[in-house]
Amino acid sequence: MKEKYDATVTVVCMGPPQADVALREALAMGCDEAILLSSREFGGSDTWATAKIIATALDEIGYDLVITGRQAIDGDTAQVGPQIAETLGIPQVSYAEEIYEIEDGNVIVKRQYEDRYHVLEVKMPCLLTALTELAEPRYMHAGGIVDAYNKEIKVITYENLKDKLNIEDIGLKGSPTNVYKSFTKEAKGAGTLLTDLSPDEAVSAIMEKLEERHII
Amino acid sequence: MSKDIYVVAEQRDGHVVKVAFELLGEATKLAKDLDQKVVGILIGDDIKDKAQSLIDAGADEVVVVEDPMLHEYVTEPYAKALTQVIKECDPEILLFGATAIGRDLAPRVASRIHTGLTADCTKLDIDVWKANEEDPGKKLLFMTRPAFGGNIMATILCKTHRPQMATVRPGVMKRLAPDHSRTGEIREIKVDFKPEDMNIVVRQVVKETHKKVDITEAKRLVSGGRGIGSPEFYATLQELADEISGEISSSRANVDAGWIERDRQVGQTGKTVRPELYMACGISGAIQHVAGMEGSDYVIAINKNDTAAVFDVADLGVVGDVKVIVPKLLDAVRKYKADNEKANA
């Protein structure tokens, strides 16, 4: 899109200082600018508070189109994208599978559901959450990698945003949800092995488990 | 004061989706622990006639929002409708199915209302929040969900903001048998829609009967190995997979033999899958294959050879011929579903 529409691509990440590795990778793949949102005050934020922080920073940075992943690989919530859009007051299209084009300030996008898809026309500024199918990552070239390490990664902290961001709205304190406890999944007991069953008996044994586990 | 458990009953083309009934069944259980009511929420165009089916499934009352603007799902009109329902009704708890619609609508509305939302829950309980100093008897919704790809479970609380909101994974909660003798109030809420609420143009709606698959996304997998004997047997496995809303996958040997496409291969050189059900049919269970499926929630293995390694990772292992057992199993599943439909009709 950057090449087609002469755009600037800025990659924004909220995380600890070591998240700069991912940002440099993005620069090496062709992004123009990288910004890391990092501050002790941001720690412990749930999706509501995270969205608040990112939205406040985006307001500062400026944008026409915001693209987020569908969900992160740790929390798997898929909530931060839509919540950024709501906090910014812009339309969202989640589960975007393909961006067809941009015409007259509208993004034409394919939005996937379980049993159908919609082709949607949405006015910018707007936010999309992307399925993996949306695009293939580009390869990093040697030159790009060298450039990526020469470029500066801009860091935005709470101090930079504090005029617009209430400390009561972020971190553990500003998060409506809290983790009460976390635990590893209980280990599976040894399985059952059924030998010497007639085919019909075998089918009954399987049916019983399918029913018990709400598969059918 | 906030009260009652509300369930957003998702509908498509005027049909209420299955997870809505599962949520009503679960809400009935939770409501008993809280001594409160279960309320269904129906949002759509010309949808009021479905309200009774929610009452049959456990709702004490149903709130309906109808408007032509709600014909196809678009985030903003639905978010506006639901926000108004929340403001007028002040629910204690609000549940959604963790579907492509539920996971779009719920976060948007949670942000607008400024409350907490827990994604993709697999377990819900009402319990006393003992650490609460002001009101030691205060009951909260304990929301448990997998994180880090299912390796860790976390229980989440939303202590002070209301409603306590959660999306719940389809297929986890149990629906109640419909009780057609139940009655309940059906209440309409009028929402004042403005043309600008439709801030997205739906150019095209394309229904897909069979879309291309990513086996890592499938919740149920029926997987075939050498023991299925011929590529044609995948058709039978596919029929079984269709009946249980799953997909077919494969061991490496069959992919190399050209029996099935490579993107369905499970294992070290294929894909890593973590479905809720993995049915290994005629798969010996080489270590490279097991590496790609051992994270599955439940494994059923059928194999002729009683020393097959796959039985070491199977929750249920059946020694027998897949070519005999699977067709019989397919018949049994179809019969079970037909009987169930009759009973629910």
Side-chain angles (χ1 to χ4, degrees), chain A residues 74-77 83 86 90 92 94 97 103 112 114-119 121 178 180-181 183 185 188 192 194 209 215, chain B residues 12-13 72 100 103-104 107-108 112 119 145 148 153 155 157 201 203-204 206 208 212 220 296-298 315 317 319 336:
Chain A
D74 50 359
D76 289 337
T77 69
Q83 296 195 314
E86 171 66 20
I90 59 174
Q92 79 199 36
S94 49
E97 193 181 9
E103 47 175 60
Q112 194 64 58
E114 287 88 351
D115 63 340
R116 67 191 63 192
Y117 66 83
H118 286 175
V119 178
E121 180 186 317
N178 300 120
Y180 169 72
K181 64 168 180 182
F183 49 100
K185 238 180 177 173
K188 268 189 198 166
T192 320
L194 305 173
K209 290 297 171 189
I215 302 290
Chain B
R12 294 187 191 186
D13 308 322
E72 269 296 320
R103 295 185 80 172
D104 183 78
R108 187 94 198 185
R112 193 165 295 179
R145 65 181 302 269
F148 289 96
M153 304 297 289
T155 301
L157 296 180
V201 180
R203 281 194 175 182
Q204 214 185 340
V206 182
E208 296 169 299
K212 60 177 170 16
R220 290 118 189 230
S296 306
D297 287 346
Y298 196 79
D315 297 277
V319 179
Y336 178 92

Short mmCIF file of all heavy atoms in Angstrom, two decimals, chain A residues 74-77 83 86 90 92 94 97 103 112 114-119 121 178 180-181 183 185 188 192 194 209 215, chain B residues 12-13 72 100 103-104 107-108 112 119 145 148 153 155 157 201 203-204 206 208 212 220 296-298 315 317 319 336:
data_model
loop_
_atom_site.label_atom_id
_atom_site.label_comp_id
_atom_site.label_asym_id
_atom_site.label_seq_id
_atom_site.Cartn_x
_atom_site.Cartn_y
_atom_site.Cartn_z
N ASP A 74 0.07 -14.03 23.20
CA ASP A 74 0.06 -14.36 24.63
C ASP A 74 -1.36 -14.35 25.19
O ASP A 74 -1.87 -15.35 25.66
CB ASP A 74 0.99 -13.43 25.42
CG ASP A 74 0.75 -11.96 25.11
OD1 ASP A 74 -0.11 -11.67 24.27
OD2 ASP A 74 1.44 -11.11 25.71
N GLY A 75 -2.01 -13.20 25.09
CA GLY A 75 -3.34 -13.08 25.67
C GLY A 75 -4.44 -13.66 24.80
O GLY A 75 -5.47 -14.08 25.31
N ASP A 76 -4.25 -13.68 23.49
CA ASP A 76 -5.28 -14.22 22.58
C ASP A 76 -6.64 -13.54 22.74
O ASP A 76 -7.66 -14.18 22.51
CB ASP A 76 -5.51 -15.72 22.80
CG ASP A 76 -4.36 -16.59 22.33
OD1 ASP A 76 -3.60 -16.13 21.46
OD2 ASP A 76 -4.24 -17.72 22.81
N THR A 77 -6.70 -12.28 23.17
CA THR A 77 -8.03 -11.73 23.44
C THR A 77 -8.73 -11.19 22.19
O THR A 77 -9.94 -11.19 22.13
CB THR A 77 -7.99 -10.56 24.46
OG1 THR A 77 -7.36 -9.43 23.85
CG2 THR A 77 -7.27 -10.96 25.73
N GLN A 83 -11.01 -2.05 20.60
CA GLN A 83 -11.09 -1.07 21.70
C GLN A 83 -10.29 0.20 21.38
O GLN A 83 -10.66 1.28 21.82
CB GLN A 83 -10.67 -1.73 23.02
CG GLN A 83 -11.66 -2.84 23.37
CD GLN A 83 -11.58 -3.33 24.79
OE1 GLN A 83 -10.50 -3.60 25.31
NE2 GLN A 83 -12.73 -3.47 25.43
N GLU A 86 -12.72 2.16 19.16
CA GLU A 86 -13.77 2.82 19.94
C GLU A 86 -13.22 4.03 20.70
O GLU A 86 -13.85 5.08 20.73
CB GLU A 86 -14.41 1.82 20.92
CG GLU A 86 -15.36 2.44 21.94
CD GLU A 86 -16.63 3.03 21.34
OE1 GLU A 86 -17.00 2.64 20.20
OE2 GLU A 86 -17.26 3.89 22.00
N ILE A 90 -13.37 5.87 15.74
CA ILE A 90 -13.34 5.60 14.30
C ILE A 90 -13.94 4.22 14.03
O ILE A 90 -13.97 3.37 14.91
CB ILE A 90 -11.89 5.67 13.72
CG1 ILE A 90 -10.97 4.64 14.41
CG2 ILE A 90 -11.34 7.08 13.88
CD1 ILE A 90 -9.58 4.56 13.80
N GLN A 92 -14.35 0.35 12.76
CA GLN A 92 -13.43 -0.79 12.76
C GLN A 92 -13.95 -1.85 11.80
O GLN A 92 -15.14 -1.99 11.58
CB GLN A 92 -13.35 -1.41 14.16
CG GLN A 92 -14.56 -2.32 14.47
CD GLN A 92 -14.76 -2.58 15.93
OE1 GLN A 92 -14.53 -1.71 16.77
NE2 GLN A 92 -15.21 -3.77 16.26
N SER A 94 -12.98 -5.81 11.84
CA SER A 94 -12.11 -6.87 12.36
C SER A 94 -12.15 -8.06 11.41
O SER A 94 -12.99 -8.13 10.52
CB SER A 94 -12.50 -7.25 13.79
OG SER A 94 -13.86 -7.48 13.88
N GLU A 97 -9.55 -9.93 5.76
CA GLU A 97 -8.78 -10.97 5.07
C GLU A 97 -8.03 -10.41 3.85
O GLU A 97 -7.00 -10.93 3.46
CB GLU A 97 -9.73 -12.09 4.62
CG GLU A 97 -8.99 -13.33 4.19
CD GLU A 97 -9.91 -14.45 3.74
OE1 GLU A 97 -11.13 -14.22 3.60
OE2 GLU A 97 -9.40 -15.55 3.53
N GLU A 103 -10.19 3.87 -2.53
CA GLU A 103 -10.69 4.81 -3.54
C GLU A 103 -11.46 5.94 -2.86
O GLU A 103 -12.29 5.69 -2.01
CB GLU A 103 -11.53 4.07 -4.60
CG GLU A 103 -12.57 3.11 -4.05
CD GLU A 103 -13.45 2.50 -5.12
OE1 GLU A 103 -12.90 1.83 -6.01
OE2 GLU A 103 -14.67 2.68 -5.03
N GLN A 112 -14.10 -11.40 7.03
CA GLN A 112 -14.45 -12.81 7.12
C GLN A 112 -15.32 -13.11 8.35
O GLN A 112 -15.07 -12.61 9.43
CB GLN A 112 -13.14 -13.61 7.21
CG GLN A 112 -13.29 -15.09 6.99
CD GLN A 112 -13.77 -15.41 5.58
OE1 GLN A 112 -13.14 -15.06 4.61
NE2 GLN A 112 -14.90 -16.09 5.49
N GLU A 114 -17.65 -16.73 10.02
CA GLU A 114 -17.55 -18.18 9.96
C GLU A 114 -18.18 -18.74 8.69
O GLU A 114 -17.67 -19.66 8.08
CB GLU A 114 -18.24 -18.84 11.17
CG GLU A 114 -17.49 -18.70 12.48
CD GLU A 114 -17.86 -17.43 13.24
OE1 GLU A 114 -18.57 -16.58 12.67
OE2 GLU A 114 -17.42 -17.30 14.40
N ASP A 115 -19.33 -18.19 8.30
CA ASP A 115 -20.09 -18.81 7.21
C ASP A 115 -20.25 -17.90 5.99
O ASP A 115 -21.00 -18.20 5.08
CB ASP A 115 -21.49 -19.21 7.72
CG ASP A 115 -22.30 -18.01 8.16
OD1 ASP A 115 -21.70 -16.94 8.42
OD2 ASP A 115 -23.53 -18.12 8.23
N ARG A 116 -19.58 -16.76 6.01
CA ARG A 116 -19.76 -15.80 4.91
C ARG A 116 -18.64 -14.77 4.95
O ARG A 116 -17.87 -14.71 5.89
CB ARG A 116 -21.09 -15.07 5.07
CG ARG A 116 -21.14 -14.16 6.29
CD ARG A 116 -22.54 -13.66 6.57
NE ARG A 116 -23.43 -14.77 6.89
CZ ARG A 116 -24.75 -14.69 6.96
NH1 ARG A 116 -25.34 -13.56 6.73
NH2 ARG A 116 -25.47 -15.73 7.27
N TYR A 117 -18.56 -13.99 3.88
CA TYR A 117 -17.72 -12.80 4.01
C TYR A 117 -18.47 -11.59 3.48
O TYR A 117 -19.42 -11.73 2.71
CB TYR A 117 -16.36 -12.97 3.33
CG TYR A 117 -16.35 -13.12 1.82
CD1 TYR A 117 -16.40 -12.00 0.99
CD2 TYR A 117 -16.27 -14.38 1.23
CE1 TYR A 117 -16.38 -12.13 -0.39
CE2 TYR A 117 -16.25 -14.53 -0.15
CZ TYR A 117 -16.31 -13.40 -0.96
OH TYR A 117 -16.30 -13.53 -2.33
N HIS A 118 -18.07 -10.43 3.96
CA HIS A 118 -18.64 -9.16 3.50
C HIS A 118 -17.56 -8.40 2.74
O HIS A 118 -16.40 -8.44 3.13
CB HIS A 118 -19.04 -8.27 4.68
CG HIS A 118 -20.28 -8.71 5.38
ND1 HIS A 118 -20.74 -8.10 6.52
CD2 HIS A 118 -21.17 -9.70 5.12
CE1 HIS A 118 -21.86 -8.68 6.91
NE2 HIS A 118 -22.14 -9.66 6.09
N VAL A 119 -17.95 -7.75 1.66
CA VAL A 119 -17.06 -6.77 1.05
C VAL A 119 -17.55 -5.41 1.54
O VAL A 119 -18.70 -5.04 1.32
CB VAL A 119 -17.08 -6.83 -0.48
CG1 VAL A 119 -16.18 -5.75 -1.07
CG2 VAL A 119 -16.63 -8.22 -0.95
N GLU A 121 -17.03 -1.17 2.47
CA GLU A 121 -16.41 0.10 2.07
C GLU A 121 -16.44 0.97 3.31
O GLU A 121 -17.50 1.25 3.84
CB GLU A 121 -17.28 0.70 0.95
CG GLU A 121 -16.81 1.99 0.40
CD GLU A 121 -17.84 2.54 -0.59
OE1 GLU A 121 -18.39 1.77 -1.41
OE2 GLU A 121 -18.12 3.75 -0.49
N ASN A 178 -8.88 -7.87 36.29
CA ASN A 178 -7.63 -8.30 36.91
C ASN A 178 -7.53 -9.81 36.88
O ASN A 178 -8.54 -10.49 36.97
CB ASN A 178 -7.57 -7.87 38.39
CG ASN A 178 -7.67 -6.37 38.56
OD1 ASN A 178 -8.58 -5.89 39.21
ND2 ASN A 178 -6.76 -5.64 37.93
N TYR A 180 -7.13 -13.02 38.64
CA TYR A 180 -7.31 -13.49 40.01
C TYR A 180 -6.31 -14.59 40.31
O TYR A 180 -5.66 -14.61 41.34
CB TYR A 180 -8.75 -13.96 40.18
CG TYR A 180 -9.04 -14.71 41.45
CD1 TYR A 180 -9.09 -14.04 42.67
CD2 TYR A 180 -9.32 -16.08 41.43
CE1 TYR A 180 -9.38 -14.71 43.84
CE2 TYR A 180 -9.61 -16.75 42.60
CZ TYR A 180 -9.64 -16.07 43.80
OH TYR A 180 -9.93 -16.75 44.94
N LYS A 181 -6.17 -15.52 39.37
CA LYS A 181 -5.12 -16.54 39.49
C LYS A 181 -4.84 -17.13 38.12
O LYS A 181 -5.69 -17.08 37.23
CB LYS A 181 -5.53 -17.64 40.48
CG LYS A 181 -6.74 -18.43 40.02
CD LYS A 181 -6.96 -19.68 40.86
CE LYS A 181 -8.18 -20.43 40.36
NZ LYS A 181 -8.54 -21.61 41.06
N PHE A 183 -2.95 -20.72 36.27
CA PHE A 183 -2.48 -22.07 36.60
C PHE A 183 -2.27 -22.84 35.31
O PHE A 183 -2.85 -22.51 34.28
CB PHE A 183 -3.50 -22.78 37.50
CG PHE A 183 -4.92 -22.72 37.01
CD1 PHE A 183 -5.49 -23.80 36.33
CD2 PHE A 183 -5.70 -21.60 37.21
CE1 PHE A 183 -6.80 -23.73 35.89
CE2 PHE A 183 -7.01 -21.52 36.77
CZ PHE A 183 -7.56 -22.59 36.11
N LYS A 185 -2.70 -25.97 32.90
CA LYS A 185 -3.78 -26.92 32.65
C LYS A 185 -3.46 -28.23 33.37
O LYS A 185 -2.32 -28.69 33.34
CB LYS A 185 -3.84 -27.20 31.15
CG LYS A 185 -5.15 -26.88 30.53
CD LYS A 185 -5.05 -27.21 29.06
CE LYS A 185 -6.36 -26.97 28.36
NZ LYS A 185 -6.19 -27.14 26.92
N LYS A 188 -3.13 -34.41 31.73
CA LYS A 188 -4.06 -35.44 31.30
C LYS A 188 -3.79 -36.74 32.05
O LYS A 188 -2.64 -37.12 32.22
CB LYS A 188 -3.83 -35.72 29.82
CG LYS A 188 -4.67 -34.90 28.89
CD LYS A 188 -4.47 -35.44 27.50
CE LYS A 188 -4.92 -34.44 26.45
NZ LYS A 188 -4.44 -34.79 25.14
N THR A 192 -7.44 -44.39 28.00
CA THR A 192 -8.00 -45.74 28.04
C THR A 192 -7.73 -46.41 26.70
O THR A 192 -7.92 -45.79 25.66
CB THR A 192 -9.54 -45.66 28.20
OG1 THR A 192 -9.84 -44.61 29.10
CG2 THR A 192 -10.12 -46.96 28.67
N LEU A 194 -8.93 -49.59 24.50
CA LEU A 194 -9.93 -50.66 24.41
C LEU A 194 -9.51 -51.65 23.35
O LEU A 194 -9.37 -51.30 22.18
CB LEU A 194 -11.31 -50.07 24.07
CG LEU A 194 -11.82 -48.97 25.02
CD1 LEU A 194 -13.09 -48.35 24.48
CD2 LEU A 194 -12.05 -49.55 26.41
N LYS A 209 -17.99 -40.82 24.32
CA LYS A 209 -17.03 -39.74 24.57
C LYS A 209 -17.39 -38.48 23.78
O LYS A 209 -17.24 -37.37 24.27
CB LYS A 209 -15.61 -40.20 24.21
CG LYS A 209 -15.05 -41.23 25.16
CD LYS A 209 -14.91 -40.66 26.56
CE LYS A 209 -14.56 -41.76 27.56
NZ LYS A 209 -14.64 -41.27 28.96
N ILE A 215 -19.16 -32.84 21.62
CA ILE A 215 -18.76 -32.77 20.22
C ILE A 215 -20.02 -32.93 19.37
O ILE A 215 -20.17 -32.32 18.32
CB ILE A 215 -17.73 -33.86 19.87
CG1 ILE A 215 -16.49 -33.74 20.74
CG2 ILE A 215 -17.38 -33.84 18.39
CD1 ILE A 215 -15.61 -32.55 20.48
N ARG B 12 -28.17 -14.96 12.64
CA ARG B 12 -27.76 -14.70 11.25
C ARG B 12 -28.90 -15.08 10.33
O ARG B 12 -29.42 -16.19 10.45
CB ARG B 12 -26.54 -15.52 10.90
CG ARG B 12 -25.36 -15.08 11.71
CD ARG B 12 -24.11 -15.75 11.27
NE ARG B 12 -23.11 -15.47 12.29
CZ ARG B 12 -21.84 -15.79 12.19
NH1 ARG B 12 -21.42 -16.41 11.12
NH2 ARG B 12 -21.01 -15.52 13.15
N ASP B 13 -29.29 -14.18 9.49
CA ASP B 13 -30.42 -14.39 8.58
C ASP B 13 -31.67 -14.80 9.36
O ASP B 13 -32.45 -15.63 8.91
CB ASP B 13 -30.10 -15.45 7.53
CG ASP B 13 -28.80 -15.17 6.80
OD1 ASP B 13 -28.55 -13.98 6.55
OD2 ASP B 13 -28.06 -16.12 6.51
N GLU B 72 -28.04 -6.91 8.22
CA GLU B 72 -26.75 -7.62 8.23
C GLU B 72 -25.94 -7.03 9.37
O GLU B 72 -26.08 -5.85 9.69
CB GLU B 72 -25.96 -7.39 6.93
CG GLU B 72 -26.18 -8.37 5.80
CD GLU B 72 -25.75 -9.82 6.04
OE1 GLU B 72 -24.69 -10.04 6.64
OE2 GLU B 72 -26.48 -10.72 5.61
N ALA B 100 -17.07 -14.65 15.43
CA ALA B 100 -16.53 -13.51 14.68
C ALA B 100 -17.37 -12.25 14.93
O ALA B 100 -16.86 -11.14 14.85
CB ALA B 100 -16.48 -13.83 13.19
N ARG B 103 -16.90 -11.38 19.07
CA ARG B 103 -15.58 -10.84 19.42
C ARG B 103 -15.30 -9.51 18.72
O ARG B 103 -14.26 -8.91 18.93
CB ARG B 103 -14.50 -11.87 19.13
CG ARG B 103 -14.68 -13.09 20.03
CD ARG B 103 -13.58 -14.09 19.89
NE ARG B 103 -12.39 -13.68 20.63
CZ ARG B 103 -11.33 -14.46 20.79
NH1 ARG B 103 -11.30 -15.65 20.26
NH2 ARG B 103 -10.29 -14.04 21.48
N ASP B 104 -16.22 -9.07 17.88
CA ASP B 104 -16.13 -7.74 17.28
C ASP B 104 -16.97 -6.75 18.10
O ASP B 104 -16.54 -5.66 18.41
CB ASP B 104 -16.67 -7.81 15.84
CG ASP B 104 -16.56 -6.49 15.10
OD1 ASP B 104 -15.45 -6.17 14.65
OD2 ASP B 104 -17.58 -5.78 14.99
N PRO B 107 -15.93 -6.15 22.51
CA PRO B 107 -14.90 -5.19 22.93
C PRO B 107 -15.30 -3.74 22.64
O PRO B 107 -15.00 -2.83 23.41
CB PRO B 107 -13.66 -5.59 22.12
CG PRO B 107 -14.10 -6.54 21.08
CD PRO B 107 -15.40 -7.13 21.54
N ARG B 108 -15.97 -3.55 21.51
CA ARG B 108 -16.41 -2.19 21.15
C ARG B 108 -17.34 -1.64 22.24
O ARG B 108 -17.20 -0.51 22.70
CB ARG B 108 -17.12 -2.25 19.79
CG ARG B 108 -17.48 -0.92 19.22
CD ARG B 108 -16.41 -0.40 18.27
NE ARG B 108 -16.56 1.03 18.06
CZ ARG B 108 -15.83 1.75 17.22
NH1 ARG B 108 -14.90 1.17 16.49
NH2 ARG B 108 -16.00 3.04 17.11
N ARG B 112 -17.04 1.35 25.18
CA ARG B 112 -18.00 2.47 25.21
C ARG B 112 -18.61 2.63 26.59
O ARG B 112 -18.81 3.73 27.08
CB ARG B 112 -19.10 2.24 24.16
CG ARG B 112 -19.94 3.46 23.90
CD ARG B 112 -20.75 3.32 22.63
NE ARG B 112 -19.89 3.22 21.44
CZ ARG B 112 -20.35 3.06 20.19
NH1 ARG B 112 -21.67 3.00 19.98
NH2 ARG B 112 -19.52 2.98 19.19
N ALA B 119 -12.07 -12.46 27.32
CA ALA B 119 -12.26 -13.09 26.02
C ALA B 119 -12.25 -14.60 26.10
O ALA B 119 -11.48 -15.19 26.86
CB ALA B 119 -11.15 -12.64 25.07
N ARG B 145 -10.18 -18.74 31.40
CA ARG B 145 -9.90 -18.80 29.97
C ARG B 145 -8.48 -19.28 29.72
O ARG B 145 -7.60 -19.09 30.55
CB ARG B 145 -10.07 -17.42 29.35
CG ARG B 145 -9.07 -16.40 29.86
CD ARG B 145 -9.30 -15.05 29.24
NE ARG B 145 -9.20 -15.14 27.80
CZ ARG B 145 -8.08 -14.96 27.10
NH1 ARG B 145 -6.96 -14.68 27.71
NH2 ARG B 145 -8.09 -15.05 25.79
N PHE B 148 -1.76 -17.96 26.33
CA PHE B 148 -0.51 -18.52 25.82
C PHE B 148 -0.77 -19.82 25.04
O PHE B 148 -0.19 -20.86 25.35
CB PHE B 148 0.50 -18.75 26.95
CG PHE B 148 1.05 -17.47 27.50
CD1 PHE B 148 0.49 -16.90 28.63
CD2 PHE B 148 2.09 -16.82 26.86
CE1 PHE B 148 0.97 -15.69 29.13
CE2 PHE B 148 2.58 -15.61 27.36
CZ PHE B 148 2.01 -15.05 28.49
N MET B 153 -4.00 -21.45 32.07
CA MET B 153 -5.37 -21.02 32.28
C MET B 153 -5.34 -19.83 33.25
O MET B 153 -4.53 -19.83 34.18
CB MET B 153 -6.21 -22.14 32.91
CG MET B 153 -6.22 -23.44 32.14
SD MET B 153 -6.96 -23.30 30.51
CE MET B 153 -8.68 -23.10 30.94
N THR B 155 -7.87 -17.14 35.61
CA THR B 155 -9.19 -16.76 36.09
C THR B 155 -9.20 -15.25 36.29
O THR B 155 -8.32 -14.70 36.95
CB THR B 155 -9.52 -17.48 37.41
OG1 THR B 155 -9.46 -18.88 37.18
CG2 THR B 155 -10.92 -17.10 37.90
N LEU B 157 -11.26 -11.51 37.08
CA LEU B 157 -12.37 -10.87 37.78
C LEU B 157 -12.54 -9.44 37.28
O LEU B 157 -11.57 -8.79 36.92
CB LEU B 157 -12.10 -10.81 39.29
CG LEU B 157 -11.99 -12.13 40.05
CD1 LEU B 157 -11.72 -11.84 41.52
CD2 LEU B 157 -13.27 -12.94 39.89
N VAL B 201 -20.28 0.78 4.41
CA VAL B 201 -21.17 0.33 3.33
C VAL B 201 -20.91 -1.16 3.08
O VAL B 201 -19.78 -1.55 2.82
CB VAL B 201 -20.91 1.12 2.03
CG1 VAL B 201 -21.83 0.64 0.91
CG2 VAL B 201 -21.07 2.62 2.28
N ARG B 203 -20.99 -3.75 0.63
CA ARG B 203 -21.13 -3.82 -0.83
C ARG B 203 -21.64 -5.18 -1.27
O ARG B 203 -22.31 -5.31 -2.28
CB ARG B 203 -19.77 -3.60 -1.48
CG ARG B 203 -19.35 -2.16 -1.57
CD ARG B 203 -18.19 -2.05 -2.52
NE ARG B 203 -17.80 -0.67 -2.75
CZ ARG B 203 -16.83 -0.34 -3.59
NH1 ARG B 203 -16.15 -1.28 -4.24
NH2 ARG B 203 -16.52 0.92 -3.77
N GLN B 204 -21.25 -6.18 -0.52
CA GLN B 204 -21.53 -7.54 -0.99
C GLN B 204 -21.54 -8.47 0.21
O GLN B 204 -20.73 -8.33 1.14
CB GLN B 204 -20.38 -7.95 -1.91
CG GLN B 204 -20.77 -8.84 -3.06
CD GLN B 204 -19.53 -9.28 -3.82
OE1 GLN B 204 -18.47 -8.66 -3.74
NE2 GLN B 204 -19.66 -10.36 -4.55
N VAL B 206 -21.34 -12.53 0.78
CA VAL B 206 -21.15 -13.81 0.08
C VAL B 206 -21.16 -14.94 1.09
O VAL B 206 -20.32 -14.99 1.99
CB VAL B 206 -19.82 -13.82 -0.71
CG1 VAL B 206 -19.66 -15.13 -1.46
CG2 VAL B 206 -19.75 -12.64 -1.67
N GLU B 208 -20.60 -18.69 2.20
CA GLU B 208 -19.72 -19.76 1.75
C GLU B 208 -20.18 -21.05 2.38
O GLU B 208 -20.27 -21.16 3.60
CB GLU B 208 -18.28 -19.46 2.20
CG GLU B 208 -17.73 -18.22 1.55
CD GLU B 208 -16.42 -17.78 2.18
OE1 GLU B 208 -16.42 -17.48 3.38
OE2 GLU B 208 -15.42 -17.73 1.46
N LYS B 212 -12.19 -22.45 2.09
CA LYS B 212 -10.88 -23.08 2.24
C LYS B 212 -10.49 -23.10 3.72
O LYS B 212 -10.90 -22.26 4.50
CB LYS B 212 -9.85 -22.34 1.40
CG LYS B 212 -9.67 -20.88 1.77
CD LYS B 212 -8.56 -20.31 0.92
CE LYS B 212 -8.42 -18.81 0.99
NZ LYS B 212 -9.00 -18.03 2.00
N ARG B 220 -12.15 -29.26 15.47
CA ARG B 220 -12.19 -30.72 15.47
C ARG B 220 -11.51 -31.22 14.21
O ARG B 220 -11.78 -30.73 13.12
CB ARG B 220 -13.65 -31.19 15.46
CG ARG B 220 -14.39 -30.92 16.77
CD ARG B 220 -15.55 -30.01 16.58
NE ARG B 220 -16.10 -29.62 17.88
CZ ARG B 220 -17.39 -29.68 18.18
NH1 ARG B 220 -18.27 -30.09 17.29
NH2 ARG B 220 -17.82 -29.32 19.37
N SER B 296 -3.51 -31.27 21.50
CA SER B 296 -4.96 -31.37 21.34
C SER B 296 -5.62 -31.63 22.70
O SER B 296 -5.06 -32.32 23.54
CB SER B 296 -5.30 -32.52 20.39
OG SER B 296 -4.62 -32.38 19.17
N ASP B 297 -6.83 -31.09 22.87
CA ASP B 297 -7.52 -31.27 24.14
C ASP B 297 -7.90 -32.73 24.37
O ASP B 297 -7.83 -33.23 25.47
CB ASP B 297 -8.83 -30.44 24.17
CG ASP B 297 -8.54 -28.96 24.32
OD1 ASP B 297 -7.39 -28.64 24.67
OD2 ASP B 297 -9.45 -28.15 24.09
N TYR B 298 -8.37 -33.38 23.31
CA TYR B 298 -8.84 -34.76 23.48
C TYR B 298 -8.50 -35.53 22.21
O TYR B 298 -8.73 -35.06 21.10
CB TYR B 298 -10.36 -34.78 23.71
CG TYR B 298 -10.86 -36.10 24.26
CD1 TYR B 298 -10.72 -36.40 25.61
CD2 TYR B 298 -11.44 -37.05 23.42
CE1 TYR B 298 -11.16 -37.61 26.12
CE2 TYR B 298 -11.89 -38.26 23.93
CZ TYR B 298 -11.75 -38.54 25.27
OH TYR B 298 -12.18 -39.74 25.78
N ASP B 315 -6.44 -40.21 24.49
CA ASP B 315 -7.30 -40.29 25.68
C ASP B 315 -8.19 -41.52 25.57
O ASP B 315 -8.50 -42.16 26.55
CB ASP B 315 -8.15 -39.03 25.77
CG ASP B 315 -7.29 -37.79 25.95
OD1 ASP B 315 -6.91 -37.51 27.08
OD2 ASP B 315 -6.97 -37.14 24.93
N GLY B 317 -8.28 -44.93 23.14
CA GLY B 317 -7.71 -45.71 22.05
C GLY B 317 -8.60 -46.90 21.77
O GLY B 317 -9.10 -47.55 22.68
N VAL B 319 -8.69 -50.40 19.46
CA VAL B 319 -7.99 -51.28 18.54
C VAL B 319 -9.01 -51.88 17.58
O VAL B 319 -9.98 -52.51 18.01
CB VAL B 319 -7.25 -52.40 19.31
CG1 VAL B 319 -6.54 -53.34 18.33
CG2 VAL B 319 -6.26 -51.80 20.29
N TYR B 336 -27.78 -40.10 15.74
CA TYR B 336 -27.83 -39.35 16.99
C TYR B 336 -28.36 -37.94 16.74
O TYR B 336 -29.23 -37.43 17.43
CB TYR B 336 -26.44 -39.29 17.60
CG TYR B 336 -26.34 -38.50 18.88
CD1 TYR B 336 -26.50 -39.12 20.13
CD2 TYR B 336 -26.10 -37.12 18.85
CE1 TYR B 336 -26.41 -38.38 21.30
CE2 TYR B 336 -26.02 -36.38 20.01
CZ TYR B 336 -26.17 -37.01 21.24
OH TYR B 336 -26.10 -36.27 22.39
#
